[in-house]
Amino acid sequence: MLSVLLKPLLFTVPRRSATATAAVRGMSSSLDSGASTQRMFQLKVDPLTGKAEWVVIEEEEEEIGNQTTPKALLATTSYLDMLNDARRNRAFRQAIDKTVTGPCHVLDIGAGTGLLSMMAARAMGLSESKGSSSLNEMVTACESYLPMVKLMKKVLRANGMDGKIRIINKRSDELDIGVDIPSRADVLVSEILDSELLGEGLIPTLQHAHDKLLIEYPQTVPYRATIYGQVVECTYLWEMHDLVNREAGVSDGICLVPNGMFDLLGIKRQQYAMHCNSMKEEIKLLSEPFKVFDFDFWRRPDSSRETELHIKATNDGTVHAIISWWLLQLDCEGTVFYSTGPDWIHCPSDFKELNSSFPSSGNWCDHWKQSVWFTSSSGLHVFKDEEVRLHAVHTETSISYRFETSQDKKSVTRHDFCIRDCQIVLSPERIALYGDDCWRCLMVNAIGKALRQRVHQLCLVADDSIFLAIAVAHLSKSSHVIPLFPGLGKKGSEYLQRVAAANNYTMDRIEILKKKDLQSTLQDSNQRKISFFVAEPFYYGNDSVLPWQNLRF
């Protein structure tokens, strides 16, 4: 039994539910047939642009000794980490036990493996009853992913709750009263939260639930969520978004962001989930924590709101980022809490008995992190006791910030420049690498050494590396460069054209091709042969535990 998954709750996941290690996010392509191929949900992130998407992959079993076991890809996924989060499980269990105290209709939206549904059923006493649930006391589990629904059924069966919980394989906004569920629910139990809080569609889900699925004044678990923020100075975070000022200090002659084109290359204006505890020693706090927004689960939320915050600086420094987190109040009395705050945020003095629900108790998790919002590249200089104004806005799925300064108004005008239409967006990690003088020097030296071996090179850039394409064109006046740019496409071509003059090359030596056109183009060009092949090495996170097993080229 995989009792380690749900050990604090005395629930188990059966060993044969999609053959153990593929049990939660990875599901069997034939759960009941004993097939040897597993179908996995895996998050794939483009290492250069940072774009992420869910893909379904086939995972073959491998034979170890006399046993056949699936490769343990699930072991490093955030879903399993979430199920092993003892603080989260304990907090939800306590809140559900306080909320579900008698016969009622409980609706679990985004039920997943059925953990919260089982908690509600146990609190209601359904787990001990011999018959099936009735209309007056029932738990409805709503889950849209069919593979997860199949797994949930196995989990319920393994925990003796088969038939105690009504499972519906639909999105919650597809449910109809009288068709899918007999009546509006009295209690909502749901955990559809990401590190930013809103990114998994919390607001539209709550809006539809209050409009169509819940009674007028329902009880909810969680009861309320509060976003907190803190202004910080941190060189590491500055390096991840200020390529303009960092490139001014390099001397390799390559210019990724020429004068007047500072918006040509940058990161997406959004919050990024990061483990801020790991950079705690490099962070200088410039303010006390401040409240940004409250979200009440028990009433219909607004789609968007704005607020202006007046923040008093606690130190002299340069604002590089805003670090934010959320605090869940899970019960209406305010006795059960869960926080995603960093280690330096301690349990409030009023809640000392709840210390185990706060991260300072030593727990570590990967499924929820802190969120980081980067300020403008030039930063904002503050002095101790100075008051700054921060404008915060939330939409249905995200939160954004803007400091109200004259400097910020200038940057808004700059963003209206026509360059924005061909702006290339990269991940913060790639921006940090492109501004690293040491890394650039190593790459330029290696490219220069390779180019000296032949006078007329035909160079293939096999990925989206704009730095390598520019470096080859800049260092060799006779080489011909073919960047494939599989992700950047036309934007990559427009970018190379805009920065050509600043890097001393002409576009007649650059030929953007799609991978499928490469062979035919070379055959039609007097049988040209590629003599120089280049791409950026990178780490493709969470493919396995050991760093050297993550290296890709």
Side-chain angles (χ1 to χ4, degrees):
M1 291 293 184
L2 291 180
S3 57
V4 64
L5 289 179
L6 310 173
K7 189 174 181 180
L9 306 164
L10 300 179
F11 292 141
T12 61
V13 174
R15 178 172 293 278
R16 290 189 58 80
S17 61
T19 52
T21 57
V24 184
R25 181 172 290 175
M27 267 61 68
S28 173
S29 57
S30 179
L31 287 175
D32 298 319
S33 65
S36 60
T37 300
Q38 304 297 314
R39 184 164 294 163
M40 304 285 294
F41 288 116
Q42 203 171 40
L43 190 64
K44 287 293 185 182
V45 181
D46 187 299
L48 298 179
T49 65
K51 293 182 179 179
E53 64 174 347
W54 285 102
V55 296
V56 177
I57 62 172
E58 300 292 338
E59 179 195 26
E60 295 182 355
E61 292 183 338
E62 59 182 356
E63 190 169 325
I64 301 177
N66 296 324
Q67 294 184 341
T68 301
T69 61
K71 298 176 182 178
L73 292 182
L74 181 71
T76 56
T77 64
S78 60
Y79 207 111
L80 185 60
D81 177 72
M82 178 181 68
L83 288 174
N84 277 318
D85 185 348
R87 287 194 300 122
R88 167 191 177 270
N89 298 341
R90 181 169 52 247
F92 271 93
R93 182 187 63 187
Q94 292 172 350
I96 289 173
D97 286 347
K98 287 175 175 289
T99 304
V100 182
T101 56
C104 61
H105 181 189
V106 178
L107 174 63
D108 180 2
I109 294 179
T113 58
L115 177 59
L116 302 187
S117 294
M118 289 191 294
M119 293 179 183
R122 186 173 66 178
M124 203 184 303
L126 293 178
S127 60
E128 306 298 329
S129 64
K130 294 183 179 180
S132 300
S133 59
S134 65
L135 296 180
N136 296 326
E137 49 179 17
M138 64 182 299
V139 177
T140 301
C142 175
E143 174 56 52
S144 61
Y145 287 110
L146 179 59
M148 193 67 75
V149 169
K150 292 181 178 180
L151 174 62
M152 190 195 317
K153 291 179 179 179
K154 288 180 174 285
V155 172
L156 297 182
R157 192 176 306 125
N159 287 278
M161 294 195 182
D162 194 16
K164 310 294 184 183
I165 296 171
R166 180 184 176 89
I167 302 174
I168 301 178
N169 179 211
K170 285 185 177 182
R171 290 168 51 97
S172 64
D173 56 9
E174 297 173 339
L175 299 182
D176 290 320
I177 301 296
V179 177
D180 301 298
I181 55 178
S183 61
R184 288 177 175 258
D186 308 292
V187 179
L188 172 67
V189 173
S190 184
E191 191 273 88
I192 46 173
L193 314 174
D194 66 351
S195 296
E196 192 180 10
L197 187 74
L198 306 181
E200 292 188 8
L202 173 66
I203 288 180
T205 300
L206 287 178
Q207 288 176 336
H208 179 268
H210 281 281
D211 291 343
K212 302 292 185 178
L213 306 175
L214 302 175
I215 63 173
E216 186 174 0
Y217 298 106
Q219 297 186 75
T220 62
V221 178
Y223 181 79
R224 174 180 292 124
T226 303
I227 302 285
Y228 289 93
Q230 197 164 19
V231 176
V232 302
E233 175 183 286
C234 179
T235 301
Y236 177 76
L237 294 177
W238 167 71
E239 291 174 349
M240 298 182 82
H241 75 284
D242 190 358
L243 180 59
V244 173
N245 288 308
R246 293 190 72 208
E247 191 172 60
V250 301
S251 56
D252 52 27
I254 295 174
C255 192
L256 298 177
V257 279
N259 286 332
M261 302 182 187
F262 295 146
D263 285 343
L264 198 55
L265 203 62
I267 62 172
K268 188 175 181 179
R269 300 295 290 169
Q270 66 176 40
Q271 293 198 95
Y272 292 87
M274 295 186 183
H275 285 295
C276 294
N277 292 331
S278 61
M279 59 186 91
K280 180 168 59 175
E281 300 302 320
E282 300 183 41
I283 289 176
K284 180 180 181 181
L285 302 177
L286 299 181
S287 77
E288 294 292 339
F290 50 84
K291 184 186 293 188
V292 184
F293 289 113
D294 278 324
F295 297 91
D296 292 326
F297 288 62
W298 55 272
R299 60 182 175 185
R300 192 184 193 278
D302 296 325
S303 296
S304 62
R305 284 181 292 166
E306 300 183 21
T307 185
E308 185 174 284
L309 306 168
H310 296 262
I311 302 168
K312 186 177 181 180
T314 56
N315 280 302
D316 299 344
T318 302
V319 178
H320 292 141
I322 298 168
I323 294 176
S324 65
W325 61 93
W326 42 259
L327 174 67
L328 278 188
Q329 176 186 327
L330 286 101
D331 64 326
C332 61
E333 293 88 1
T335 62
V336 184
F337 291 85
Y338 182 99
S339 172
T340 62
D343 281 348
W344 61 83
I345 302 299
H346 298 289
C347 178
S349 57
D350 294 342
F351 308 130
K352 287 301 181 185
E353 71 278 6
L354 305 171
N355 190 57
S356 61
S357 293
F358 285 76
S360 56
S361 59
N363 292 281
W364 184 89
C365 70
D366 192 52
H367 60 99
W368 286 324
K369 308 170 188 176
Q370 292 77 48
S371 294
V372 174
W373 175 271
F374 296 106
T375 59
S376 60
S377 59
S378 57
L380 173 67
H381 299 282
V382 296
F383 298 96
K384 185 177 180 179
D385 296 329
E386 178 186 356
E387 189 176 86
V388 294
R389 291 186 300 163
L390 178 65
H391 190 70
V393 178
H394 83 73
T395 63
E396 288 187 345
T397 56
S398 65
I399 300 172
S400 59
Y401 302 92
R402 186 184 74 250
F403 283 101
E404 297 285 354
T405 65
S406 57
Q407 188 179 25
D408 210 56
K409 292 177 182 177
K410 293 179 182 178
S411 68
V412 172
T413 304
R414 191 181 67 189
H415 280 294
D416 288 338
F417 192 60
C418 62
I419 278 178
R420 68 187 180 188
D421 294 331
C422 60
Q423 183 189 46
I424 290 180
V425 176
L426 299 178
S427 68
E429 293 81 7
R430 191 58 42 175
I431 290 292
L433 196 63
Y434 282 171
D436 188 327
D437 190 23
C438 179
W439 181 85
R440 289 171 62 135
C441 182
L442 288 170
M443 298 298 282
V444 167
N445 288 341
I447 291 171
K449 183 177 179 180
L451 289 174
R452 286 193 293 271
Q453 296 176 12
R454 293 182 62 173
V455 177
H456 299 287
Q457 297 264 26
L458 178 58
C459 174
L460 176 68
V461 181
D463 57 12
D464 283 313
S465 177
I466 55 177
F467 180 86
L468 294 182
I470 293 174
V472 174
H474 172 79
L475 293 173
S476 174
K477 306 305 178 187
S478 58
S479 293
H480 194 84
V481 185
I482 302 178
L484 291 183
F485 286 167
L488 296 177
K490 184 180 178 181
K491 277 194 173 184
S493 176
E494 293 174 350
Y495 171 82
L496 292 182
Q497 186 170 354
R498 286 183 176 274
V499 301
N503 289 282
N504 300 315
Y505 65 82
T506 55
M507 288 301 293
D508 60 334
R509 295 195 291 114
I510 306 290
E511 185 178 5
I512 307 291
L513 291 177
K514 294 182 178 180
K515 185 178 179 180
K516 63 182 180 65
D517 300 328
L518 179 61
Q519 185 173 355
S520 60
T521 301
L522 294 178
Q523 289 175 345
D524 295 340
S525 305
N526 300 318
Q527 296 295 318
R528 289 187 299 170
K529 298 291 185 181
I530 294 170
S531 57
F532 187 24
F533 177 89
V534 62
E536 286 188 26
F538 61 89
Y539 287 96
Y540 220 165
N542 284 350
D543 280 3
S544 75
V545 177
L546 302 176
W548 51 86
Q549 294 177 343
N550 286 333
L551 187 61
R552 301 287 182 266
F553 184 80

